[in-house]
Amino acid sequence: MKNDKLGLFDHVWVLRIVSLILAILLFVYVTGSKSSDTRQSSQNGQNSALMANKTETLKIPLEVESNSEKYVVTGYPQYVKIKITGPSALVTTTANTQNFKVTADLTNLGVGKHEVRLKASGLNKELSYSINPAKIKVNIQSRNTATVPVEVRLSSKSLNDGYRVGTPKAALEKVQITGAKSEVQQVAKVIAYVNVPKNTQSTLHRTVTLQAINEAGQTMNVVIMPNTVSVTVPISQTASNSKDSSSTSDASSTDTQSSTVSDADSESSSSSKRSSAGSSVGSQVNNSSVSASENSTK
């Protein structure tokens, strides 16, 4: 005998719907797993890139630590190279900020020539470094100060015709120089060099930079205080040019006086003519009066 009652899963449509739902769930699960794996792989790649080592070479100024009030240090390079190695992100940040320094410590050294090892400070502990050069040679000398005269030198003393250059004068006769004893002792004078254009026609006033030189004319490595000075260069007219100007002025004055005298003579002549005419008229009037008197008497 057949059972007329069918179970839920005995219906074809029910089975189809359940199969579809299972397929969708399986698809979602597989897709989500792949996305998660992709994200994980990307993060791992980024972390690997950040943690990977990197090397970079930088050029930075060298700082010398010494007793600058007592000594003068010469012979060291102005810049050195440093190669840093470490995590990529840390190396990049250090290279961009350069918040570290390379120094030569001379604080415990005295006068003479020395070789010292350079050191870097301020670098992260995860970074390793090497400095080129690793050692430098320096010359430490006693600091010396002296007072030397200032001499003015002109680029030219020849001007256009009619003008001449006078004796230049600096606002300061002497200045103070400071530096290594060996350098200071070689300084012969301090020069104020002034450029005088050939077409100059009036006194020059210039502020120029001073230079310390030795007997051979070579510039010495010293500090000059003050390092500039005001210079006055007198420019005047020559005697012949002054005479020409004076002659021109006198001639003009003579012409003016001649014109004045001529005008006066002309005026005097006119006055004489007017006086003569007046006298003639008066004479005629008197004669007429005399004639009339004689007629009346008769």
Side-chain angles (χ1 to χ4, degrees):
M1 184 176 176
K2 246 183 192 182
N3 190 1
D4 294 336
K5 292 183 180 180
L6 298 176
L8 179 62
F9 292 98
D10 290 336
H11 295 282
V12 175
W13 286 105
V14 173
L15 294 174
R16 291 177 178 175
I17 293 173
V18 172
S19 299
L20 178 60
I21 293 173
L22 292 174
I24 293 173
L25 293 175
L26 181 61
F27 174 79
V28 171
Y29 173 76
V30 172
T31 304
S33 298
K34 288 183 178 181
S35 299
S36 178
D37 292 341
T38 301
R39 287 194 298 270
Q40 187 67 30
S41 299
S42 176
Q43 291 176 356
N44 291 337
Q46 292 176 355
N47 291 334
S48 298
L50 291 174
M51 296 304 295
N53 279 352
K54 179 181 179 181
T55 299
E56 189 163 344
T57 301
L58 307 173
K59 183 179 180 181
I60 65 171
L62 174 63
E63 296 187 15
V64 176
E65 297 178 350
S66 64
N67 187 348
S68 58
E69 294 182 358
K70 187 176 181 181
Y71 300 114
V72 174
V73 181
T74 59
Y76 61 90
Q78 187 176 359
Y79 292 90
V80 294
K81 293 182 179 180
I82 181 171
K83 182 189 292 184
I84 55 176
T85 302
S88 178
L90 191 55
V91 170
T92 300
T93 301
T94 303
N96 290 337
T97 58
Q98 294 192 13
N99 56 349
F100 66 96
K101 60 182 181 179
V102 176
T103 59
D105 188 2
L106 312 178
T107 53
N108 295 323
L109 301 178
V111 174
K113 295 182 179 180
H114 307 274
E115 185 178 55
V116 295
R117 181 176 293 276
L118 304 182
K119 295 181 180 180
S121 59
L123 286 173
N124 190 287
K125 294 181 179 180
E126 296 184 39
L127 297 174
S128 59
Y129 69 88
S130 61
I131 304 172
N132 185 25
K135 296 180 179 181
I136 61 170
K137 293 181 179 181
V138 298
N139 185 14
I140 302 177
Q141 301 182 57
S142 297
R143 178 177 288 274
N144 197 14
T145 300
T147 302
V148 294
V150 175
E151 179 181 305
V152 180
R153 287 189 181 177
L154 306 179
S155 62
S156 174
K157 293 185 178 180
S158 176
L159 301 178
N160 290 334
D161 292 342
Y163 294 91
R164 63 181 177 184
V165 179
T167 302
K169 184 177 181 181
L172 297 175
E173 294 183 356
K174 297 181 179 180
V175 292
Q176 192 176 71
I177 60 172
T178 302
K181 186 176 182 179
S182 61
E183 293 280 328
V184 172
Q185 289 177 341
Q186 294 183 58
V187 174
K189 62 186 69 175
V190 172
I191 300 299
Y193 185 82
V194 181
N195 180 36
V196 181
K198 189 175 179 62
N199 60 350
T200 304
Q201 297 181 354
S202 60
T203 298
L204 294 177
H205 300 280
R206 296 286 187 269
T207 299
V208 296
T209 301
L210 298 174
Q211 300 178 30
I213 62 173
N214 60 13
E215 292 292 349
Q218 298 172 330
T219 302
M220 305 306 296
N221 183 23
V222 295
V223 177
I224 306 173
M225 292 297 294
N227 65 341
T228 61
V229 68
S230 297
V231 179
T232 300
V233 183
I235 305 296
S236 60
Q237 293 182 334
T238 59
S240 59
N241 196 36
S242 298
K243 288 180 179 179
D244 292 342
S245 299
S246 178
S247 298
T248 302
S249 177
D250 292 343
S252 176
S253 176
T254 302
D255 291 342
T256 302
Q257 292 176 358
S258 298
S259 177
T260 303
V261 171
S262 178
D263 290 343
D265 291 342
S266 178
E267 182 65 24
S268 177
S269 177
S270 298
S271 298
S272 298
K273 289 180 180 179
R274 286 196 297 271
S275 298
S276 177
S279 298
S280 178
V281 172
S283 178
Q284 292 177 358
V285 171
N286 289 334
N287 291 335
S288 298
S289 299
V290 171
S291 298
S293 178
E294 290 177 351
N295 293 329
S296 175
T297 302
K298 286 180 180 180

